[in-house]
């Protein structure tokens, strides 16, 4: 086969839009390939990179066609040799793939009646058994299975292994772990003549099974060469950082500066032990430092100056996660959060015209649905979409839902082969319009191809010809996608983030080794729980001998140290696990120790950037002459932070509502309001309350609670009776003590409850307000505001009041009715326990005592101050003042949804604050 590069601009722009690497190959590698050798690398990354450079070298030389180089990773190479045996008829066995082998192990374990007690699932035990079998095969220890083992776990594994071997022999099955041994026995020189000599690259060591195969090949007269790539050392440093975040940030800054200083085709490796556990942190910091322009949410997420060699589970990719959620939905309801994510996925029937309607439906209908159980069935969702006020733009979604619902019964009851289920899955996803309708990019295309491979792997489970229910087929598909790692085809980004083993066989311009502390490196293997300890020591298995493990890690470290002219090792002084020192593997490497502060001077100098001053104090248009929605909440936000008031009340910026099961805090507060409104309309005066017997009071309160529940929930689906009974009991236990506080007050008559007033002026604003209650007493009128959350009268006394609601009512009431004598304003603090109180400007009444606030100014004087302060806040809001000025940073910002816009340091906020403290009922 020859490779042909087409000189077609459109083709090259679409398929060759990757960074051009240097065309030079390491001399030893170039010589071996030019001699026709088969190059075998320790990992797939090295094979891909060398193959790509080999092709670029021919293209740079002006060659139009050439014979492709025979370059394989070890795994691919031995699989190719096995295929050669199959095509020549030297074997007829079936080479088990990962899922077939897992299925066989799980079946054997499930039928083991003598299985020891364990918390592991059959799937988990099957994975452990396959891993143990592979380990024994790699270290040529399968013959030791016949020995006498003492502990119950080891004996169980012996039984499973004997049955596994018996079934493999009877059905002509070959486990992948035994492939090297099969090849060593079955290959002859004719099978390898087309390979010429063999060159090995990037192996720190060979397992005994690999050594056995290489010896067999050597005995056939095939030459095997081991290529060693090393770079002349210019600089080798050791850096200590304060913590892990500082270490990663330092590495990102240094690599950025190095790229700015060196040529554009430089290759930098960032090597990280246990990369899978640190990937998210590294990705976040590297994005901030190396590609801040990608913070734009519309920027393509995968175009970065760095890339990870380690893939992510296929099941976690957005496209595949959407497919799995749709499939799960055919057999069981989804959680509200799952449904919200699925609804907004661009991979589920998403027309461009649907996008806004689906987001609005999610934010204002799905998230406000009253649910007692945290799940949504397909039937419920179809009814909700049909009733939605956005349904005119949800036709595509509704059609997809109806297509899915027709499959529910079939998917629940029938048994089919795995291959039949695969075809049905493809049909269902096509009917549900699982795809990006507007077209897909390269990464999405590769993801879909990987998904198809996963379905093919699922279909291969028909090797045992047992029909299964869809639930079992879906379980297997989920397991396959969880274990399948997906990494897009390399773009050859200048910064490659990889693990220590993935770096083998590579050559770089510079290397930064992150996590070179004694708690992080070397990464310790754990002993295998299914094998006796003496056996593990005899075979030299990883984790059985610390000295042998250290020797392996030392070879890896030394190989990394000569893979680039510039090598930096770093470690964090403080980790969550404790303080650490440099890894003992670095002691003999003669590293130049430098501090984090010195590394900038040792590295390339960063280009100086001239900063341009920019003022964002731009004049904003004043509000039109109209009523402002939100009532007192507008002034409360303006007092807390002008920017927040502007963002929420003028720009309409709001956070998505958290989905809450049952009645939320606002609804529970509304029931309290309506209950007390009904109660005082019947009772009217404190004197009437005092005249009632305990039974009469309880009966009146119970009737009012029923009114409150019916009034608030009249428009909602019916709650279950047990839940309503629980709410009745909660309300009675809350409000009955409150009536005892009402009895301790001075005599009063309830003038009105829940009265709304419209178009009331405060400064240049006109507001609608609703007062919870006004009482008439001998001293004058008292305005009450019911509070089921925390509030205190001290919140009124600042020029930027935290709770301006009652002061506003007082100012508006006395302005509209100057003849009224205002005696007091008060929070009716209706909370269980010691917080229950009537907290007024003049005093505080609890079940235990009455306290008078002698230190406060007369209410008439305070009214004048409130008027001045509130009119000033209204004027600020009217003018559009939007400066970021939280009243009490960072506590004022604790529950603010605008932090992503205002640019304050979000790290200063305590995300662990109890959100129940923020459930006060908003006015208006």
């Amino acid at each position: 086969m020859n490779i042909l590069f087409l000189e077609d601009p459109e083709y090259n722009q679409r398929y060759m839009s990757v960074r051009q690497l240097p065309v030079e190959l390491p001399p030893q590698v170039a010589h071996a390939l030019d001699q026709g050798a088969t190059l075998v690398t320790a990992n797939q990354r090295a094979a891909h990179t060398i193959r790509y450079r080999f092709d670029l070298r021919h293209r740079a030389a002006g060659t139009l066609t050439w014979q492709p180089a025979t370059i394989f990773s070890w795994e691919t190479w031995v699989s190719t040799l096995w295929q050669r045996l199959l095509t020549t008829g030297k074997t007829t066995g079936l080479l088990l793939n990962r899922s077939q082998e897992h299925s066989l192990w799980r079946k054997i374990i499930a039928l083991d009646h003598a299985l020891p007690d364990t918390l592991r699932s059959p799937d988990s035990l099957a994975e452990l058994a396959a891993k143990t079998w592979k380990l024994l095969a790699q270290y040529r220890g399968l013959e030791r299975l016949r020995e006498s083992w003492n502990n119950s776990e080891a004996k169980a594994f012996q039984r499973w292994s004997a049955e596994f071997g018996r079934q493999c022999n009877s059905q002509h099955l070959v486990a992948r772990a035994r492939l090297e041994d099969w090849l060593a026995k079955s290959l002859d020189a004719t099978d390898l003549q087309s390979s010429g000599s063999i060159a090995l690259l990037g192996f720190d060591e060979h397992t005994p099974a690999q050594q056995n195969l290489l010896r067999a090949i050597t005995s056939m007269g095939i030459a095997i060469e081991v290529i060693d790539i090393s770079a002349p050392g210019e600089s080798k440093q050791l850096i200590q950082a304060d913590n892990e975040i500082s270490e990663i940030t330092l590495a990102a800054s240094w690599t950025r500066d190095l790229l700015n200083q060196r040529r554009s085709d430089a290759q930098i490796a960032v090597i990280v032990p246990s990369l899978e556990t640190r990937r998210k942190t590294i990705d976040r910091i590297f994005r901030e430092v190396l590609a801040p322009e990608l913070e734009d949410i519309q920027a393509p997420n995968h175009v970065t100056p760095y890339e990870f060699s380690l893939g992510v589970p296929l099941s976690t990719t957005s496209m595949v996660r959407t497919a799995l959620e749709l499939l799960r939905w055919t057999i069981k309801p989804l959680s509200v959060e799952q449904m919200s994510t699925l609804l907004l996925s661009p991979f589920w029937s998403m027309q461009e015209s649907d996008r806004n309607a689906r987001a609005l439906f999610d934010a204002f209908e799905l998230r406000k649905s009253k649910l007692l159980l945290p799940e949504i069935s397909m039937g419920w969702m179809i009814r909700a979409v049909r009733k939605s006020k956005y349904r005119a733009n949800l036709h595509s979604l509704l059609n997809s839902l109806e297509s899915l619902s027709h499959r529910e019964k079939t998917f629940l009851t029938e048994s089919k082969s795995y291959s039949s289920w695969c075809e049905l899955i493809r049909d269902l996803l096509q009917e549900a319009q699982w795809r990006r309708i507007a077209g897909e990019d390269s990464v999405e295309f590769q993801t879909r191809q990987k998904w198809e491979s996963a379905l093919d792997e699922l279909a291969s489970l028909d090797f045992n010809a047992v029909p299964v229910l869809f639930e079992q087929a879906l379980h297997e598909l989920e397991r396959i996608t969880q274990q399948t790692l997906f990494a897009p085809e390399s773009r050859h980004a200048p910064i490659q983030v990889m693990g220590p083993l993935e770096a083998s066989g590579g050559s770089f311009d510079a290397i930064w080794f992150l996590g070179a502390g004694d708690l992080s490196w070397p990464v310790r293997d754990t002993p295998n729980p299914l094998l006796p300890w003496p056996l593990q020591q005899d075979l030299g298995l990883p984790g059985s001998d610390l000295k042998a493990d250290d020797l392996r890690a030392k070879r890896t470290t030394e190989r990394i140290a000569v893979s680039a002219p510039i090598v930096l090792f770093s470690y964090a002084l403080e980790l969550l696990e404790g303080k650490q020192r440099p890894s003992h593997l670095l002691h003999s490497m003669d590293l130049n120790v430098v501090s984090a502060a010195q590394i900038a001077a040792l590295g390339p100098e960063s280009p100086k950037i001239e900063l341009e001053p920019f003022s964002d104090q731009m004049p904003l248009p004043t509000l039109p002459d109209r009523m402002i929605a939100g009532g007192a909440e507008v002034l409360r936000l303006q007092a807390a932070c002008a920017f927040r008031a502007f963002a929420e009340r003028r720009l309409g910026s709001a956070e998505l509502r958290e989905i809450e099961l049952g009645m939320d805090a606002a609804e529970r507060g509304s029931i309290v309001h309506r209950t007390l409104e009904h109660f005082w309309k019947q009772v009217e005066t404190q004197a009437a309350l005092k005249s009632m017997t305990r039974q009469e009071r309880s009966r009146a309160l119970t009737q009012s609670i029923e009114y409150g529940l019916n009034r608030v929930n009249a428009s909602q689906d019916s709650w279950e009776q047990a839940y309503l009974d629980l709410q009745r009991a909660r309300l009675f236990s809350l409000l009955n003590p409150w009536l005892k506080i009402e009895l301790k007050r001075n005599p009063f008559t309830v003038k009105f409850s829940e009265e709304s007033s419209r178009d009331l002026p405060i400064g240049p604003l006109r507001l609608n307000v609703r007062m919870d209650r006004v009482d008439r007493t001998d001293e004058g009128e008292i305005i009450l505001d019911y509070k089921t959350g925390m509030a205190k009268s001290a919140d009124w006394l600042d020029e930027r009041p935290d709770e301006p609601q009652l002061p506003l009512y007082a100012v508006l009431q006395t302005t509209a009715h100057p003849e009224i004598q205002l005696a007091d304003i008060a929070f009716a603090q209706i909370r269980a326990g010691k917080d229950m109180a009537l907290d007024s400007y003049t005093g505080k009444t609890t079940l235990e005592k009455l306290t008078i606030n002698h230190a406060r100014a007369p209410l008439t004087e305070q009214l004048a101050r409130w008027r001045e302060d509130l009119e000033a806040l209204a004027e600020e809001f009217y003018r559009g003042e939007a400066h970021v000025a939280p009243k009490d940073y960072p506590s004022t910002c604790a529950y603010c949804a605008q932090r992503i816009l205002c640019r304050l340091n979000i790290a200063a906020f305590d995300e662990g604050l109890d959100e129940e403290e923020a459930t006060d009922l908003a006015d208006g």
Side-chain angles (χ1 to χ4, degrees):
M1 180 182 71
N2 289 339
I3 290 181
L4 172 64
F5 271 96
L6 300 176
E7 294 301 330
D8 178 55
E10 182 178 351
Y11 176 93
N12 289 336
Q13 181 178 9
R14 182 175 180 184
Y15 295 103
M16 298 298 292
S17 58
V18 293
R19 183 169 165 273
Q20 297 296 302
L21 288 177
V23 297
E24 299 87 357
L25 286 168
Q28 308 96 311
V29 173
H31 176 75
L33 294 176
D34 289 341
Q35 295 299 313
T38 296
L39 181 67
V40 181
T41 65
N43 58 71
Q44 188 65 45
R45 192 206 69 83
H48 175 78
T49 301
I50 293 173
R51 189 182 303 117
Y52 183 69
R53 286 191 176 188
F54 178 86
D55 292 338
L56 284 181
R57 186 176 69 154
H58 278 281
R59 191 181 185 196
T63 309
L64 290 180
T65 64
W66 60 89
Q67 190 70 22
T70 50
I71 304 171
F72 305 103
S73 66
W74 179 276
E75 295 291 324
T76 305
W77 180 56
V78 294
S79 296
T80 302
L81 294 178
W82 173 262
Q83 292 299 322
R84 195 170 295 170
L85 291 180
L86 284 176
T87 55
T88 56
K90 292 183 179 179
T91 183
T92 57
L94 171 66
L95 181 62
L96 294 172
N97 63 29
R98 174 190 56 189
S99 292
Q100 291 170 330
E101 190 170 336
H102 176 88
S103 176
L104 195 55
W105 280 110
R106 187 181 58 197
K107 179 182 177 182
I108 291 168
I109 292 170
L111 294 174
D112 184 4
H113 300 296
L115 185 68
D117 292 338
T118 177
L119 295 178
R120 290 179 179 267
S121 66
D123 275 320
S124 177
L125 284 173
E127 290 174 11
L128 180 59
K131 180 181 177 181
T132 305
W133 175 274
K134 179 179 180 180
L135 199 60
L136 285 176
Q138 288 175 334
Y139 285 81
R140 310 204 72 198
L142 290 176
E143 298 301 323
R144 305 285 294 272
L145 286 169
R146 299 186 181 90
E147 296 178 0
S148 177
W149 295 351
N150 294 325
N151 65 69
S152 58
E153 290 82 4
K155 288 182 178 179
F157 178 67
Q158 281 182 311
R159 293 194 302 273
W160 304 338
S161 298
E163 180 61 20
F164 183 79
R166 188 191 68 75
Q167 293 198 27
C168 285
N169 291 333
S170 63
Q171 300 178 50
H172 303 289
L173 306 175
V174 179
R176 175 62 187 79
R178 301 207 65 181
L179 187 51
E180 283 85 357
D181 283 343
W182 271 86
L183 292 173
K185 295 175 184 177
S186 305
L187 286 173
D188 58 35
T190 59
D191 298 315
L192 294 166
Q193 282 178 353
S194 61
S195 301
S197 63
I198 296 170
L200 304 177
L201 174 65
F203 292 87
D204 294 331
E205 66 171 348
H206 296 286
T207 65
Q210 290 174 330
Q211 293 172 4
N212 183 49
L213 175 58
L214 294 175
R215 281 195 299 269
I217 292 174
T218 303
S219 67
M220 302 173 200
I222 306 296
I224 296 180
E225 174 190 4
V226 177
I227 296 178
D228 179 30
I229 300 177
S230 60
E234 294 178 8
S235 172
K236 289 182 172 55
Q237 315 288 346
L238 174 64
I239 302 103
Q240 172 190 296
D242 292 335
N243 52 56
E244 184 179 33
I245 300 300
S246 299
E247 181 190 13
I248 297 172
T249 304
L250 188 65
S253 300
W254 191 85
T255 53
R256 177 199 60 203
D257 295 342
L258 186 60
L259 283 178
N260 288 336
Q261 185 78 3
R262 295 215 167 198
R263 63 183 188 275
S264 60
D265 58 3
Q267 282 282 284
I268 304 171
V270 177
I271 299 175
V272 190
S274 303
L275 176 57
E276 63 278 3
T277 63
R278 306 175 71 184
R279 175 174 180 147
K280 289 184 179 179
T281 304
I282 293 172
D283 190 21
R284 175 177 60 80
I285 295 174
F286 272 41
R287 183 179 296 271
E288 290 175 359
V289 175
L290 293 163
E293 68 278 4
L294 297 184
E295 295 299 321
D296 182 349
I297 61 174
Q298 293 184 336
N301 193 44
H302 48 272
V303 181
T304 59
Y306 61 91
E307 60 185 356
F308 291 88
S309 66
L310 179 69
V312 298
L314 182 63
S315 60
T316 64
T317 62
S318 180
M319 178 184 288
V320 173
R321 186 171 63 246
T322 299
L324 292 174
E325 296 285 20
L326 288 170
L327 295 172
R328 288 189 199 104
W329 207 16
T330 61
I331 57 175
K332 62 181 180 181
L334 297 180
S335 72
V336 182
E337 289 294 349
Q338 286 175 312
M339 191 65 250
S340 178
T341 302
L342 184 59
L343 184 65
L344 300 179
S345 171
F347 302 106
W348 179 34
S349 188
M350 178 71 83
Q351 302 281 356
E352 191 61 34
S353 58
D354 296 350
R355 187 181 303 274
N356 286 342
R358 287 167 73 156
L360 292 168
F361 174 76
D362 173 60
F364 300 115
E365 293 186 355
L366 178 64
R367 289 176 176 270
K368 292 184 178 181
S369 300
K370 303 304 178 185
L371 300 170
L372 196 56
L373 295 176
E375 55 187 33
I376 291 179
S377 67
M378 206 171 295
W380 185 96
M381 190 65 177
I382 290 174
R383 292 191 297 273
V385 172
R386 285 173 176 167
K387 292 188 299 183
S388 171
K389 64 182 178 181
Y390 308 108
R391 60 185 176 275
N393 291 318
L394 296 176
H395 290 303
S396 178
L397 174 64
L398 185 58
N399 291 338
S400 176
L401 283 167
E402 291 173 343
S403 297
L404 284 169
S405 67
H406 293 155
R407 297 278 190 173
E408 281 186 286
K409 185 175 292 187
T410 300
F411 277 50
L412 277 172
T413 59
E414 296 185 12
S415 294
K416 297 179 181 293
S417 66
Y418 283 103
S419 56
S420 296
W421 283 125
C422 287
E423 291 307 311
L424 279 172
I425 286 171
R426 290 186 174 97
D427 291 345
L428 181 142
L429 292 178
Q430 183 175 3
E431 291 173 12
Q433 300 182 66
W434 171 72
R435 64 187 186 278
R436 188 185 287 275
I437 294 175
E440 59 188 16
D441 59 25
S442 173
V443 173
E444 291 164 356
F445 173 79
Q446 294 174 59
T447 306
R448 187 161 52 81
Q449 294 299 102
K450 203 73 170 180
W451 166 259
E452 289 296 326
S453 297
L455 287 177
D456 291 341
E457 187 172 336
L458 177 65
S460 72
L461 293 179
D462 282 336
F463 79 105
N464 57 14
V466 178
V468 295
L469 291 169
F470 177 70
E471 187 173 7
Q472 177 62 31
L474 179 57
H475 172 77
E476 291 295 334
L477 181 58
E478 289 174 334
R479 187 188 57 78
I480 289 170
T481 57
Q482 287 164 5
Q483 294 184 346
T484 300
L485 292 181
F486 170 72
E489 190 76 11
S490 175
R491 297 174 289 103
H492 304 290
I495 301 170
Q496 298 285 319
V497 186
M498 62 188 72
L501 296 181
E502 285 76 31
S504 63
S507 57
F508 309 95
D509 295 296
I511 291 175
W512 187 300
F513 191 109
L514 281 169
D518 59 353
L519 297 179
S520 307
W521 182 248
V523 178
R524 296 298 182 187
D525 291 300
T526 57
N528 189 287
L530 295 183
L531 297 176
W533 178 251
L535 175 65
Q536 297 187 55
Q537 289 185 311
D538 289 346
L539 295 176
L541 300 186
S544 64
D545 186 335
L546 287 180
K547 290 185 178 179
D549 291 346
D550 279 353
L551 184 59
R552 294 187 186 99
K554 185 177 176 62
R555 285 197 293 265
T556 300
T557 308
E558 291 173 344
R559 182 253 302 161
I560 290 171
V562 296
S563 295
I566 301 173
V567 180
L568 297 91
F569 292 89
S570 67
Y571 70 99
L573 183 62
E574 294 271 0
L575 293 180
L576 290 176
E577 297 86 347
K579 290 189 176 182
Q580 65 171 349
R581 296 170 295 182
S583 171
H584 64 278
L585 300 178
L586 305 179
H587 292 169
S588 62
M589 296 186 62
D590 192 26
L591 301 177
N592 182 23
V593 180
V594 296
S595 67
Q598 293 173 301
I599 191 61
L602 292 171
E605 183 180 356
S606 302
K608 293 183 179 180
I609 301 175
E610 296 294 334
L611 298 180
E612 178 183 355
F614 173 78
S615 174
D616 59 359
Q617 299 297 320
M618 296 182 293
L620 295 168
T622 56
L623 286 170
D625 184 20
R626 58 178 171 80
M627 287 184 293
I628 304 300
E633 181 70 4
V634 172
L635 301 182
R636 188 186 71 81
L637 293 174
Q638 187 72 26
C641 177
F643 179 82
R644 182 175 181 182
F646 178 81
E648 293 190 14
R649 297 298 168 172
R650 294 189 65 168
L651 298 183
S653 173
E655 65 180 335
L656 285 177
R657 176 174 173 170
E658 290 292 329
I659 298 169
E660 193 170 342
L661 300 179
M663 298 177 186
D664 59 23
E667 192 166 19
R668 293 193 297 270
S670 294
I671 294 173
V672 170
H673 279 231
R674 299 304 179 189
T675 298
L676 291 175
E677 176 191 10
H678 182 270
F679 182 86
W680 286 112
K681 280 184 178 179
Q682 310 307 313
V683 178
E684 295 184 342
T685 68
Q686 187 198 53
L689 180 64
K690 285 184 175 181
S691 68
M692 300 170 73
T693 66
R694 181 178 300 178
Q695 290 77 12
E696 289 172 337
R697 193 168 67 213
S698 296
R699 186 163 51 251
L701 181 57
T702 299
Q703 291 173 352
S704 295
I705 289 172
E706 202 64 35
Y707 172 86
L709 285 170
N710 292 337
R711 176 75 179 272
V712 172
N713 294 295
S715 61
Q716 304 298 336
D717 293 337
S718 297
W719 296 109
E720 291 185 10
Q721 190 60 43
Y723 181 72
L724 290 176
D725 289 343
L726 180 65
Q727 293 300 318
R728 291 186 184 98
R730 183 189 69 83
L731 286 165
F732 189 88
S733 65
L734 177 69
L735 296 177
N736 193 46
W738 171 251
L739 294 181
K740 295 178 182 178
I741 290 182
E742 298 272 29
L743 288 169
K744 294 184 66 174
R745 295 173 53 198
N746 292 329
F748 64 86
T749 299
V750 176
K751 182 178 179 182
F752 59 78
S753 295
E754 305 295 335
E755 181 169 292
S756 296
S757 300
R758 299 179 60 82
D759 203 10
L760 299 181
I762 181 73
L765 301 183
R766 306 202 322 270
L767 305 176
N768 296 335
V769 299
R770 187 184 69 242
M771 284 182 278
D772 293 347
R773 177 173 147 194
V774 174
D775 289 352
R776 186 182 297 115
T777 69
D778 293 340
E779 293 80 18
E781 293 187 354
I782 301 176
I783 304 174
L784 278 73
D785 186 45
Y786 296 131
K787 286 291 183 182
T788 54
M790 286 298 295
K792 54 186 183 297
S793 60
D795 293 338
W796 303 325
L797 304 180
D798 196 282
E799 63 179 8
R800 295 171 65 179
D802 293 325
E803 293 288 349
Q805 190 171 10
L806 278 171
L808 175 65
Y809 294 168
V811 169
L812 295 177
Q813 186 78 339
T814 54
T815 301
H817 305 283
E819 73 282 0
I820 290 176
Q821 177 67 34
L822 184 66
D824 209 349
I825 62 173
F827 284 133
Q829 191 83 16
I830 307 175
R831 290 174 63 85
K834 61 183 178 60
D835 292 328
M836 185 173 288
L838 185 75
D839 192 1
S840 75
Y841 181 79
T842 61
K844 185 173 183 179
T845 303
T846 68
L847 286 171
E848 290 78 21
K849 61 181 179 178
L850 170 64
T851 305
I852 304 299
N853 295 324
H854 295 290
R856 292 181 179 173
L859 185 58
T860 53
E861 293 182 19
Q862 187 63 46
L863 270 172
R865 295 176 191 168
W866 282 336
R867 186 186 307 277
E868 182 180 340
D869 294 339
L870 295 175
E871 288 180 348
L873 291 172
E875 182 66 36
E876 288 179 7
F877 183 80
Y878 180 78
R879 290 198 306 267
E881 290 194 15
H883 47 281
V884 179
K887 177 182 174 182
D888 186 13
Y889 175 79
S891 61
T892 300
C893 310
Y895 303 108
C896 178
Q898 311 306 324
R899 294 182 303 191
I900 195 171
L901 301 177
C902 73
R903 300 175 305 220
L904 288 179
N905 178 20
I906 62 172
F909 304 129
D910 181 8
E911 300 288 359
L913 290 176
D914 183 5
E915 295 192 6
E916 287 298 322
E917 301 296 329
T919 58
D920 292 357
L921 202 60
D923 177 41

